[in-house]
Amino acid sequence: MALGLAGWMLGRTFPTGVVGGPLNWGGLAGTGGLADPPVAMIVVAWLALAAVVAFTCLHRRRAWRAWTVAALYVVVADAIPTILARGRYTALVGTETRYVADAVVVFAICLALSSLPLRGEGDAYRRPLPGVMPLTTALLTVAFLVASVASVNAYGNTVTAADRVRPYVENVRDALARLPEGAQIYPRPVPDQVVLPWNGDRRLTSRVLAPLADEALRARMRDPAPAERPYVVDDSGKIVAIDHLYGYFDMVEDLNGDGGRTTGTTGTTGRSVGSRAKGRTCYELRAGAAAFPVESFGGPEGVGALSYRSTRPVTVEVSLGEVTRRLDLPATAESRLVYFPHPGAGTGLRIALDDPGTTGFCLKAVAFGAAVPADAP
């Protein structure tokens, strides 16, 4: 990651920027585009820089000192701190021009020092400068300005973040005001144009949008409870019910009494315990527990769900990795689906009755994964 970031920053973003680029801008950050110079621009930038450095070093005795300062500055003052602060996210951080913007001023000063003598400095040049230098300098300056204006105009076309974010936030604010009392909102990443993906958990709705809610709802967004009908914020900013979970799903043969087929296997030994057996309506619990081959990287986005029937209220423990969630389930004569947040990381989801001797409990389906919003009405 660090090598990729440094490669982007020092190999593409900085060299094309100091010659007037990058001309093109790629993915959008919250403040505008990310440098995406074409290959031709990268080649021209490096050739131009190499020519300037070689020319000044051939004619100016101490030009190498200036270029050493410029190179050390961009590496020590810009690249290394950026890698330490942002290197764990994504190499695309190296495409953000803000991390090398200060080096342009240093580069300009070093360019002057590499070509002009200091006051009182004698014997500054190894050989006289060519007579065409004034014309050449003027032409290069015009080319630099043209490229800069083109780059600025192209960048201006990307500074539309507010136009995209504003409707999203307005939709969220309106939906929060109309949300049912006691509603649970499960965390989900906001769209890329609102917060970039490399921000990790900081781009979850529970972080970004919680300040728009009142105090009670804000607390539920940050620590949602199990619910039969939880909500999520979709990519347009509307708050809708969860449609399903993307990841793992398994059910017994006739979850809905229609003889539907199972979609997986269960059992503490990793083999089928008969969920495909004809007429089976409940998972077989061994010592009051059943295990499912769920794999999860963990985190606040993890959501589990189970469908059950029970003649009496029961408490179940859902374990994944080192995390266990306790669910108090009411009695129900019909199949009831319950969702619950679960941040556990690991392999193997275990559902166990708090009291293994409990009778009248029927586990009919299990799901685990990321919440998928239903289509907005």
Side-chain angles (χ1 to χ4, degrees):
M1 193 72 73
L3 289 175
L5 191 159
W8 275 100
M9 175 184 287
L10 303 179
R12 304 183 186 188
T13 303
F14 177 75
T16 56
V18 296
V19 298
L23 296 181
N24 292 341
W25 303 89
L28 296 177
T31 54
L34 303 176
D36 185 23
V39 174
M41 182 71 191
I42 298 172
V43 173
V44 169
W46 276 110
L47 290 176
L49 290 175
V52 169
V53 171
F55 178 84
T56 54
C57 288
L58 285 173
H59 288 79
R60 173 90 157 87
R61 293 187 184 278
R62 300 169 185 85
W64 65 271
R65 296 182 180 181
W67 295 124
T68 300
V69 170
L72 288 175
Y73 185 90
V74 73
V75 171
V76 176
D78 287 340
I80 292 177
T82 303
I83 289 171
L84 293 176
R86 298 286 184 264
R88 66 184 182 276
Y89 296 122
T90 173
L92 289 178
V93 169
T95 65
E96 293 196 67
T97 55
R98 60 184 176 133
Y99 292 118
V100 289
D102 57 318
V104 176
V105 178
V106 176
F107 179 87
I109 296 173
C110 291
L111 175 61
L113 291 172
S114 71
S115 55
L116 300 175
L118 298 176
R119 180 179 299 172
E121 180 184 5
D123 194 26
Y125 295 101
R126 289 191 174 93
R127 55 180 59 85
L129 295 175
V132 297
M133 278 304 299
L135 177 61
T136 302
T137 302
L139 292 176
L140 291 176
T141 301
V142 170
F144 173 82
L145 292 175
V146 170
S148 297
V149 170
S151 296
V152 169
N153 285 337
Y155 183 83
N157 295 331
T158 71
V159 187
T160 57
D163 296 335
R164 298 190 305 276
V165 172
R166 187 177 295 110
Y168 177 83
V169 174
E170 290 175 352
N171 285 341
V172 172
R173 184 180 288 112
D174 179 64
L176 288 173
R178 296 184 288 104
L179 208 59
E181 186 72 21
Q184 303 291 332
I185 302 179
Y186 286 9
R188 185 172 176 268
V190 299
D192 293 356
Q193 69 267 19
V194 179
V195 179
L196 288 169
W198 63 63
N199 285 279
D201 290 349
R202 294 180 296 177
R203 67 187 292 253
L204 295 178
T205 54
S206 54
R207 300 280 192 94
V208 180
L209 304 177
L212 299 175
D214 58 45
E215 185 175 353
L217 180 55
R218 188 181 308 135
R220 294 199 301 274
M221 291 177 68
R222 291 173 175 167
D223 186 23
E228 293 183 47
R229 185 179 170 82
Y231 296 87
V232 289
V233 182
D234 69 11
D235 289 344
S236 68
K238 295 181 172 61
I239 298 179
V240 298
I242 291 178
D243 182 70
H244 64 278
L245 302 181
Y246 180 80
Y248 175 85
F249 174 70
D250 192 23
M251 69 178 183
V252 293
E253 186 178 59
D254 59 350
L255 173 65
N256 302 308
D258 58 1
R261 295 188 58 176
T262 183
T263 61
T265 61
T266 63
T268 55
T269 62
R271 62 180 179 83
S272 172
V273 296
S275 58
R276 294 181 183 271
K278 182 177 181 180
R280 180 171 293 282
T281 60
C282 308
Y283 286 112
E284 179 183 347
L285 303 183
R286 298 181 177 179
F292 301 85
V294 171
E295 296 183 1
S296 173
F297 292 110
E301 296 179 60
V303 179
L306 59 85
S307 177
Y308 77 99
R309 286 200 316 264
S310 182
T311 58
R312 65 189 68 188
V314 297
T315 298
V316 300
E317 293 184 345
V318 184
S319 303
L320 180 60
E322 298 181 355
V323 179
T324 298
R325 293 295 304 266
R326 290 175 60 88
L327 307 178
D328 295 319
L329 305 177
T332 175
E334 299 180 352
S335 294
R336 173 176 290 185
L337 180 64
V338 176
Y339 292 91
F340 52 91
H342 202 298
T347 302
L349 182 74
R350 184 174 185 270
I351 299 178
L353 292 169
D354 188 52
D355 179 6
T358 300
T359 59
F361 176 76
C362 175
L363 180 62
K364 302 182 71 64
V366 174
F368 192 94
V372 177
D375 292 334

